[in-house]
Amino acid sequence: MKRTVSIPVNLPHKRFLPLMGFCADIFNQHIDWALKEQTYNKNKAHKALYADLRLQYPDVPSALLQTIRDNAMEAVKATKFKRHPQKKPTSGLVASSNKKALVAPRVV
């Protein structure tokens, strides 16, 4: 059985808040692409968006970018193209145990 563990950390707001905004932007770009293309295929999303996003957000680690992509495609798959999941710039981030990166757990 998996359990969620919250660990309070003292991260500098000047570095962490922009990262949260970048994550929300990357998530929303993937959502917009998926709805436009009517697909939630992670491989197609990677080929279409990854290179441009790496140039646009060079400070975001590639593993985090891939984790956000996977979460965005799963959100589209879960809604079956009936809703437009969006993330707010200050949405929370949690650690993903399988990718060792920060991921966004909730969509609005």
Side-chain angles (χ1 to χ4, degrees):
M1 173 191 328
K2 290 186 179 184
R3 294 181 185 253
T4 301
V5 177
S6 296
I7 302 171
V9 292
N10 189 13
L11 297 172
H13 293 302
K14 289 180 182 179
R15 293 183 63 199
F16 192 64
L17 289 177
L19 177 64
M20 291 175 66
F22 295 155
C23 291
D25 290 342
I26 294 166
F27 182 91
N28 292 335
Q29 286 184 42
H30 278 93
I31 295 293
D32 293 340
W33 176 87
L35 294 175
K36 179 181 156 217
E37 299 295 323
Q38 287 294 297
T39 183
Y40 45 80
N41 185 296
K42 294 174 188 176
N43 192 25
K44 290 180 182 179
H46 180 83
K47 288 179 181 177
L49 299 172
Y50 181 78
D52 291 335
L53 290 172
R54 287 296 293 155
L55 292 174
Q56 191 175 355
Y57 302 101
D59 295 333
V60 176
S62 62
L64 179 57
L65 193 88
Q66 294 168 20
T67 300
I68 296 167
R69 177 206 59 219
D70 292 350
N71 286 347
M73 295 300 105
E74 290 165 8
V76 171
K77 184 176 181 179
T79 61
K80 296 182 174 47
F81 302 104
K82 294 179 182 167
R83 288 186 325 145
H84 191 272
Q86 287 288 101
K87 280 200 48 60
K88 295 179 182 176
T90 56
S91 292
L93 299 174
V94 296
S96 169
S97 62
N98 60 347
K99 296 216 179 173
K100 306 294 187 249
L102 298 174
V103 295
R106 296 174 54 194
V107 295
V108 176

